[in-house]
Amino acid sequence: MDYVIILYHKILNEELTLSKITTPTVILNFKTYLESSGENALKLAKALENVANESGITMVAAPQTADIFRINDETNIPILAQHIDPISPGGHTGSNLLECLMESGINGTLLNHSEIRMKLADIGYIVKKIRDNDLFSVVCTNNIETSVAAATLNPNFVAVEPPELIGSGIPVSQAEPEIVEGTVAKVKKINKNVEILCGAGISTGEDMKAAMDLGASGVLLASGIILAKDPQSALLDLVSKI
Amino acid sequence: MDYVIILYHKILNEELTLSKITTPTVILNFKTYLESSGENALKLAKALENVANESGITMVAAPQTADIFRINDETNIPILAQHIDPISPGGHTGSNLLECLMESGINGTLLNHSEIRMKLADIGYIVKKIRDNDLFSVVCTNNIETSVAAATLNPNFVAVEPPELIGSGIPVSQAEPEIVEGTVAKVKKINKNVEILCGAGISTGEDMKAAMDLGASGVLLASGIILAKDPQSALLDLVSKI
Amino acid sequence: MDYVIILYHKILNEELTLSKITTPTVILNFKTYLESSGENALKLAKALENVANESGITMVAAPQTADIFRINDETNIPILAQHIDPISPGGHTGSNLLECLMESGINGTLLNHSEIRMKLADIGYIVKKIRDNDLFSVVCTNNIETSVAAATLNPNFVAVEPPELIGSGIPVSQAEPEIVEGTVAKVKKINKNVEILCGAGISTGEDMKAAMDLGASGVLLASGIILAKDPQSALLDLVSKI
Amino acid sequence: MDYVIILYHKILNEELTLSKITTPTVILNFKTYLESSGENALKLAKALENVANESGITMVAAPQTADIFRINDETNIPILAQHIDPISPGGHTGSNLLECLMESGINGTLLNHSEIRMKLADIGYIVKKIRDNDLFSVVCTNNIETSVAAATLNPNFVAVEPPELIGSGIPVSQAEPEIVEGTVAKVKKINKNVEILCGAGISTGEDMKAAMDLGASGVLLASGIILAKDPQSALLDLVSKI
């Protein structure tokens, strides 16, 4: 579990900054809640930073695109985009260009979340572009089969999340532990460089411990933390059992 | 031509700032060029600001989402998003929530650009949400018929752009003047509160003058300015004939 | 209510056949239920034909694409596609070309159903192509505003269906009568050639009568009939009050 | 090369019919050309049948959905859909349900063609559903990496087609032979049950021979045959060198 992924993150094309994303890893997907937008996004990012400092565990923020610049400016935690459009520079009104997001401060991106599933060819394109830029990719998947398919594309992480459990409050590690175990076993067999995250329904220390015990290298969270009365306490509880 | 649109722009839900977008209006769609991303986006926004100050003509920036916060922080020009997803707050990973973009500093948005066409129901939803928030909407359209349909939804502007001329360097005001004239005539008949912008192939002072002579209230620009050797000079030329 | 729409339907580009679609009109959207696929689709089309013959009311089938040829071959009722892709002949693997569907026997098409919403530009393109081929278009919409926008494109019918009532069993004519009345009033004001259909939750004779009383020229049905124990009886009941 | 795939094809859920798709295999994607729609689709299917009978080589038709029933009725060749929507029975207006296409006579389907790319999760869903129904799946891909990812999902065939060569008339077997060879090598390493087809720019006997020499089990064709002056002669030439 002490596997270390080293990220070189080019800021403004001028200098290289070294970020370490160590496992266990906690990634918080901010989605598009009011509780995680604008000023609230900044507060949430600072809660992640506080808990990372206190616990020594890597806490990663995945905020909305409009909030990336400011969070990068005011905190010191790794940042992922929630999605990157499979485009090269040019005429793509309304899309998010990787190069632009890099200047804003991302260290990588989520891809293929169940709320914005991507075409196979586009996942292949962006995972490669992310790797070529020494950034960090987390491909979300819905079952063991698609986890294995995604793993052949060589992302850093696969985050397996049965869609019916997302936002349910029922942790996948309890409801369908065989999916997490099966994903770990089959993904590692095909590509041992890929780490597995456990998503969907995770919010407590028990959930996270169960996920790690099943072989996951970390967790992907969202509403369970964002909508908690006190997100920072919820994050502290999350990492309390490992 | 001295029609004035007054915008109330809520910053951080705390105070109201008054922006005036007067016609003639120049809107620069930054798209996703490297020349209009990150640091370059900021330079381009400052060029717009300089030309606005010099000419007294409203110059509006429509940058990528990741650059909005910074441009709002460092310049004083109106900012449009290039697109807004038709969502309400909640679980919509990878989307851009209007409320989040408002906190970043937008005064409104482009909608339905030919590079990111929208469903009719979604245009209706977002145009209404934009109006309810005292922001500013520009619906792009491809011909007279869809311009009239869009105008019934009561946006502030319709920007008519025959798709085959976008990025062509051939100005619509020259190639198909009857589309601009026809759009002005038929849109004004159905909804006199909607102003018409002329897009596609516009880059010079001649083009802009021709557009205004056909009844347009302004222009929507992109690559002709973004890729110019000296964008600020190109913008000065653009407004030199009116 | 005796308004008559005359359709010329070109079969195999060889001869013209005259179909009359008179109002009141009943359109049954077969969707993709097993109860309305293949052999079952044929049975359902025959039930429509029987009720049309018995009642004198126009009954229209909108089956899945794969079932159109056979239903046209074995029944004598008007047929609509459920959707037509906005393409011209060429390389569009997996799409449905209007010209191909015409050879299979369609008299027109549904467009923009809530389960397959279309882009504004695409609705404009297909409504025009349908009219140019003397076929029949029904544009589905979600509220008064988008109904008016759709009506400016000059389809034969607008079918207004509040999405939250689709498949609910709660008839729009009862739950939100003001939407039907408002759509009739505002659409007729902007384009008196467009007839209004009432969709969402309609299944009984009471529902249909209420819809007609609100100014609709007919109804758009689906699960209420398809999943009925005896669809033919359900259809007979539907038209029993007018 | 004498590898045999046996297909059980359920017709009307009543009886099982045995189809043999032997390699080498020729699949003709009819796309949406007028030359391959309606009556012309039937003629093209009969040309495929004639050449299959004459050459002993399996010739498969992939017509538009509206033409499947008739081609199945009037010819004796295997039929693939061009695409199947990732849905289960229910409310999915405008989609094509697998169960409905099976009743119309398909033996399987193309999936993820470059003109209708699919999401990874949807490819996984449909490939499994196809296999569960003893049908035949051909997943199109754009390069070696996505071919390997697709192969882990266990379809019958992967058809690799560099998008820039599709419809170009330049055969992939000549322009980028390393893509075909690399796909064969890497796919067979990960899943030896998957056969590789060579697509993009193939139209002559030379092209097909080259494809087979690179390890492909057959070819996926389209405009090179459909738009030929005499498609039947073109098909005879195609299989003349093997």
Side-chain angles (χ1 to χ4, degrees), chain A residues 70-141:
Chain A
R70 193 153 57 141
I71 291 175
N72 184 53
D73 211 40
E74 303 197 22
T75 74
N76 215 2
I77 54 173
I79 299 172
L80 302 183
Q82 291 180 13
H83 171 72
I84 291 181
D85 293 300
I87 56 166
S88 51
H92 305 286
T93 300
S95 291
N96 294 311
L97 185 67
L98 174 58
E99 289 83 348
C100 184
L101 292 163
M102 285 172 66
E103 282 205 43
S104 292
I106 61 163
N107 300 73
T109 190
L110 299 181
L111 290 171
N112 196 44
H113 188 275
S114 83
E115 292 159 5
I116 190 163
R117 288 279 189 239
M118 295 176 74
K119 297 174 182 179
L120 170 59
D122 293 340
I123 300 173
Y125 174 84
I126 286 288
V127 166
K128 185 177 182 316
K129 193 171 173 182
I130 287 284
R131 202 169 47 230
D132 291 347
N133 283 282
D134 297 312
L135 297 176
F136 188 79
S137 60
V138 181
V139 180
C140 301
T141 54

Side-chain angles (χ1 to χ4, degrees), chain B residues 13-128:
Chain B
N13 296 322
E14 284 162 4
E15 46 171 311
L16 293 173
T17 306
L18 187 67
S19 294
K20 283 179 193 170
I21 294 192
T22 55
T23 58
T25 308
V26 172
I27 301 176
L28 183 59
N29 177 1
F30 285 33
K31 296 192 172 182
T32 53
Y33 292 95
L34 289 178
E35 291 82 356
S36 54
S37 291
E39 281 293 317
N40 289 336
L42 196 57
K43 277 183 214 161
L44 208 48
K46 286 182 175 166
L48 285 167
E49 189 174 34
N50 292 340
V51 176
N53 290 338
E54 199 164 317
S55 67
I57 290 171
T58 305
M59 311 293 279
V60 181
Q64 286 176 69
T65 304
D67 291 328
I68 290 172
F69 183 85
R70 191 153 59 142
I71 291 175
N72 184 53
D73 211 39
E74 302 198 23
T75 73
N76 214 1
I77 54 172
I79 300 172
L80 302 183
Q82 291 179 15
H83 172 73
I84 291 181
D85 293 300
I87 56 166
S88 51
H92 305 285
T93 301
S95 291
N96 295 310
L97 185 67
L98 175 57
E99 289 82 348
C100 184
L101 291 163
M102 284 172 66
E103 283 205 35
S104 292
I106 61 162
N107 301 73
T109 190
L110 298 181
L111 290 171
N112 196 43
H113 188 276
S114 83
E115 291 159 8
I116 189 162
R117 287 281 188 238
M118 295 175 75
K119 297 174 182 179
L120 171 59
D122 293 340
I123 301 174
Y125 174 83
I126 286 288
V127 166
K128 184 174 181 321

Side-chain angles (χ1 to χ4, degrees), chain C residues 151-197:
Chain C
T152 66
L153 299 170
N154 209 21
N156 299 88
F157 274 117
V158 163
V160 64
E161 304 189 291
E164 65 279 13
L165 297 179
I166 294 177
S168 69
I170 305 166
V172 60
S173 45
Q174 226 170 76
E176 309 192 44
E178 68 284 3
I179 288 192
V180 181
E181 280 184 312
T183 299
V184 171
K186 297 217 171 165
V187 163
K188 286 293 181 182
K189 201 173 152 190
I190 219 160
N191 187 341
K192 67 180 169 38
N193 296 320
V194 175
E195 300 293 307
I196 285 81
L197 295 180

